[in-house]
Amino acid sequence: METVIDVRNLTKSYQDFVALHPLDFSLKRGEICAVIGKNGAGKSTFFKILSGQIEQTGGEMTFFSNHTEVSLNRSRKRMGFMIEEPTFFSNMNAYENLNYFRIQRGISEKERINDVLRIVGLSKNPKKKFREYSMGMRQRLGLALTLMSSPDCLVLDEPTNGLDAQGISDIRNLLLKLNKEQDITILISSHILSELQLVATSFLFIDKGKVVEQISRQQLNEKSKKYAKIIVADAAKAAQVLEMNFDKIDYRVMPDNELRIMSHIDHIGEINKVLLSHDINVNEIKVESLNLEEYFLGLGDGL
């Protein structure tokens, strides 16, 4: 499988401050990789180096097996970048804005404008000025701009920032469609981890400029700890019963009379029977896995 992005020992320093420690990362064709980290973790710095907005202090980058400075710039034409909220002309409509950037970037196919507006769902209001756009429409136009050069890879930093639930869902479905139908590889960051869990095929965890872990979706599913979720009528009484009847049981008392049992997963039937025998009504009992946010927070105290 072709490697789209490959970086080795990539670093970025500002005098005494190290924004990126030696970073190794590889992105294969067809992947949707989610970059996850808190504010200041180094995600945007990493994306800006990839896009050429800032220069790395050290290390090597390879795009589509090309690694010289000239070939990197050429390869970037096969990529679409949305690092910060795009700046458009407020008095122009979508077509006029995209046509301006088409000319600026030397894209010859004028008909591509209508294609990308249709792809992102902005073709129904062709005369509407950018200043009249909602946040969701602005993000869609930003995505349309990244698609103008028919890229093989998209690098998107917080593409759902500021959107409502419907807007987030629309962007998610659009990215999945681009990935599946047009085979576009995607590198994406977002603070909404539940959304990333719905789209990503791999995950890169960054903290304080360092890579903590890079794993596939399958590896994440295997490593996510399972727990028993039990909702009872009286969580305090249920906790006492569990401690009396099960040696070294590991559990958490959650809001709304929920208990999370981290150990004894293979004895759920017995746990249910014991609770019932002590007149504790069990409203729900099932085994679940940690979601992406819980896994992220559990990677270590440093996150």
Side-chain angles (χ1 to χ4, degrees):
M1 187 178 296
E2 181 184 13
T3 299
V4 176
I5 298 174
D6 189 63
V7 301
R8 291 290 174 262
N9 294 314
L10 195 69
T11 62
K12 180 61 182 178
S13 299
Y14 297 93
Q15 296 181 342
D16 295 333
F17 174 69
V18 180
L20 272 188
H21 293 267
L23 184 152
D24 292 340
F25 170 72
S26 181
L27 180 68
K28 301 294 185 183
R29 185 175 185 87
E31 280 191 275
I32 301 179
C33 180
V35 181
I36 297 169
K38 294 181 178 180
N39 287 334
K43 304 186 302 296
S44 293
T45 299
F46 177 40
F47 282 19
K48 287 179 180 179
I49 292 174
L50 293 177
S51 69
Q53 291 183 28
I54 60 176
E55 187 175 349
Q56 76 264 34
T57 304
E60 294 183 350
M61 290 188 295
T62 301
F63 301 152
F64 306 101
S65 301
N66 299 310
H67 60 85
T68 66
E69 190 62 35
V70 173
S71 62
L72 282 176
N73 288 330
R74 189 184 304 118
S75 295
R76 284 192 178 101
K77 294 181 180 180
R78 297 177 58 186
M79 305 168 74
F81 295 93
M82 185 172 165
I83 309 300
E84 296 171 336
E85 185 178 339
T87 301
F88 292 104
F89 296 98
S90 63
N91 62 331
M92 291 185 181
N93 60 37
Y95 186 96
E96 292 167 338
N97 268 293
L98 293 182
N99 191 43
Y100 169 83
F101 287 107
R102 178 191 68 81
I103 297 170
Q104 185 187 60
R105 297 180 181 186
I107 300 170
S108 59
E109 302 86 1
K110 194 172 183 179
E111 61 274 12
R112 180 64 180 164
I113 299 175
N114 290 322
D115 290 341
V116 297
L117 288 176
R118 176 183 49 78
I119 290 171
V120 302
L122 286 178
S123 58
K124 295 181 180 179
N125 299 293
K127 295 183 179 180
K128 195 168 189 176
K129 303 297 184 184
F130 181 76
R131 62 173 174 265
E132 302 170 340
Y133 274 21
S134 65
M135 180 62 74
M137 294 177 72
R138 293 181 179 213
Q139 292 295 82
R140 284 172 179 267
L141 188 57
L143 278 172
L145 181 57
T146 68
L147 294 171
M148 278 295 295
S149 60
S150 302
D152 295 307
C153 176
L154 293 178
V155 179
L156 309 173
D157 191 14
E158 300 284 348
T160 58
N161 190 32
L163 301 186
D164 59 18
Q166 184 60 54
I168 291 170
S169 176
D170 290 344
I171 296 297
R172 179 216 313 152
N173 292 330
L174 174 58
L175 295 180
L176 287 171
K177 184 177 181 180
L178 291 170
N179 177 253
K180 289 185 170 68
E181 296 183 5
Q182 300 190 29
D183 195 28
I184 295 179
T185 305
I186 299 172
L187 185 64
I188 181 174
S189 75
S190 174
H191 285 97
I192 309 174
L193 301 192
S194 59
E195 283 300 311
L196 293 180
Q197 191 163 12
L198 291 173
V199 301
T201 59
S202 62
F203 304 87
L204 177 70
F205 297 94
I206 296 181
D207 179 49
K208 298 175 183 175
K210 298 179 181 178
V211 172
V212 179
E213 190 172 35
Q214 183 180 359
I215 58 175
S216 66
R217 175 191 287 274
Q218 182 178 350
Q219 290 171 320
L220 176 67
N221 292 338
E222 292 172 353
K223 294 180 71 171
S224 295
K225 296 178 181 178
K226 287 184 170 58
Y227 64 90
K229 173 183 176 181
I230 303 178
I231 299 179
V232 295
D234 188 338
K237 182 180 178 182
Q240 291 178 343
V241 170
L242 292 175
E243 290 184 358
M244 288 188 300
N245 289 272
F246 298 94
D247 186 40
K248 296 181 180 179
I249 190 166
D250 182 11
Y251 68 91
R252 306 284 187 276
V253 178
M254 309 298 289
D256 301 321
N257 282 314
E258 176 187 334
L259 292 171
R260 288 191 179 182
I261 301 176
M262 318 305 289
S263 61
H264 297 70
I265 302 299
D266 296 332
H267 300 88
I268 296 304
E270 185 180 349
I271 289 173
N272 185 41
K273 188 181 298 183
V274 168
L275 291 174
L276 292 174
S277 69
H278 286 78
D279 297 323
I280 297 173
N281 291 328
V282 178
N283 299 322
E284 182 181 343
I285 183 168
K286 61 181 179 179
V287 176
E288 295 188 342
S289 297
L290 296 177
N291 60 35
L292 182 58
E293 182 173 2
E294 292 167 325
Y295 182 84
F296 166 60
L297 294 174
L299 278 175
D301 294 335
L303 290 177

